[in-house]
Amino acid sequence: MGMFDWIEFDGGKARFAGGVRGWDELGHETFEVELDGKQYYGEVAKAFAPNEHDYDLDILSFGYTVHEDVGLPAPEARQLFSPAQAAQVERLVQALAAEVATWEEPPFILRQTESSRFLGAVHFRDGWIRTREAA
């Protein structure tokens, strides 16, 4: 399987989408999730452990419909999701990281070396997804 291929899980599919030069002209590492037939992008970063070598993943933001908009701070740049959809995205991203971390050739964000390894956790920063109240 290629490093940017879609992976199907119970409840949806997801993939790492590589680096993109965002609205701010800076590089952003991204992932993509498909919900209800629509694709949404998010930003992911390494969260280094106290030893400054090993790392977990931090999900910084999610809900962009345009890849190059990743990192745009305006709230309206990201779609609104129900609490159930937010939980679904969390499960998909955690499953994605767990699956891809086992690959011999993972995407850059999960590459490991003899002195640096992925510790296995995925953290979701406050405000990573915009949600609306359940009806």
Side-chain angles (χ1 to χ4, degrees):
M1 181 165 277
M3 72 174 69
F4 299 124
D5 288 347
W6 286 99
I7 303 172
E8 295 213 30
F9 300 100
D10 287 339
K13 61 183 186 176
R15 71 183 185 117
F16 284 103
V20 66
R21 183 180 297 198
W23 69 278
D24 54 6
E25 296 296 318
L26 298 175
H28 300 271
E29 284 296 319
T30 65
F31 65 97
E32 189 174 5
V33 172
E34 183 177 288
L35 293 174
D36 302 322
K38 297 179 184 169
Q39 287 84 32
Y40 302 97
Y41 295 94
E43 183 175 8
V44 59
K46 290 181 178 180
F48 287 96
N51 69 11
E52 299 182 6
H53 298 285
D54 299 326
Y55 61 93
D56 288 320
L57 293 182
D58 259 356
I59 302 304
L60 308 178
S61 59
F62 177 77
Y64 300 97
T65 57
V66 176
H67 200 198
E68 291 76 14
D69 285 350
V70 169
L72 186 62
E76 59 275 4
R78 297 184 289 146
Q79 300 297 305
L80 283 169
F81 298 92
S82 71
Q85 288 173 315
Q88 180 182 5
V89 173
E90 278 190 37
R91 286 189 302 274
L92 288 169
V93 171
Q94 290 168 335
L96 175 65
E99 170 70 25
V100 173
T102 66
W103 293 1
E104 190 172 317
E105 292 291 326
F108 174 76
I109 195 73
L110 283 172
R111 292 230 173 101
Q112 302 183 73
T113 67
E114 290 179 18
S115 62
S116 177
R117 64 187 178 89
F118 175 52
L119 298 172
V122 179
H123 306 282
F124 296 84
R125 289 213 182 149
D126 287 343
W128 72 277
I129 192 168
R130 294 180 64 219
T131 58
R132 61 181 177 272
E133 293 301 316

